Amino acid sequence: QVQLVESGGGLVQAGGSLRLSCAASGRTFSSYVMGWFRQAPGKEREFVAAISLSGVSTYYAGFVKGRFTISRDNAKNTVYLQMSSLKVEDTAVYYCAAVRSRNWPPPADYNYWGQGTQVTVSS
């Protein structure tokens, strides 16, 4: 089992940057594919990015378009989401999620979730 705690959210102007962090408990962090999701007010939660067990492979939603970078540090049990060129429409609660897998699992398979961190982008 793994527990996830996000941090790094806040208020930023459009065009700015933020780095989200997600600290995981447990000694098997490197056995989990990690992902970031977001949920805007009145909308369903959507996939943002995922990273493989070793961190070599990454996968992004189309709307990221090179603006976001997911990374992980298995020695620190932490996954990051570097967000740049932020837009007002990026405003959402961002969630870190994990799933024990060796492949690219569909979003519905993620079974561990953090509490979320609010990102607000102002115009």
Side-chain angles (χ1 to χ4, degrees), residues 2-6 22-25 29 34 96-98 112-115:
V2 62
Q3 293 182 324
L4 306 172
V5 179
E6 303 97 334
C22 173
S25 65
F29 178 71
M34 301 299 298
C96 173
Y112 297 102
W113 295 85
Q115 82 290 350

Side-chain angles (χ1 to χ4, degrees), residues 38-46 87-95 117-121:
R38 71 184 188 183
Q39 187 168 20
K43 296 186 178 181
E44 293 188 352
R45 187 164 54 193
E46 61 180 351
K87 305 175 182 180
V88 172
E89 51 264 42
D90 292 319
T91 295
V93 177
Y94 283 72
Y95 296 91
T117 185
Q118 176 71 47
V119 171
T120 302
V121 184

Side-chain angles (χ1 to χ4, degrees), residues 31-55:
S31 298
Y32 291 84
V33 170
M34 301 299 298
W36 285 97
F37 294 75
R38 71 184 188 183
Q39 187 168 20
K43 296 186 178 181
E44 293 188 352
R45 187 164 54 193
E46 61 180 351
F47 170 81
V48 175
I51 189 165
S52 62
L53 304 183
S54 66

Side-chain angles (χ1 to χ4, degrees), residues 44-78:
E44 293 188 352
R45 187 164 54 193
E46 61 180 351
F47 170 81
V48 175
I51 189 165
S52 62
L53 304 183
S54 66
V56 170
S57 299
T58 56
Y59 183 69
Y60 297 94
F63 61 78
V64 169
K65 294 181 181 179
R67 300 184 297 124
F68 296 179
T69 301
I70 187 172
S71 61
R72 67 190 295 165
D73 186 335
N74 286 345
K76 296 182 178 180
N77 281 14
T78 302

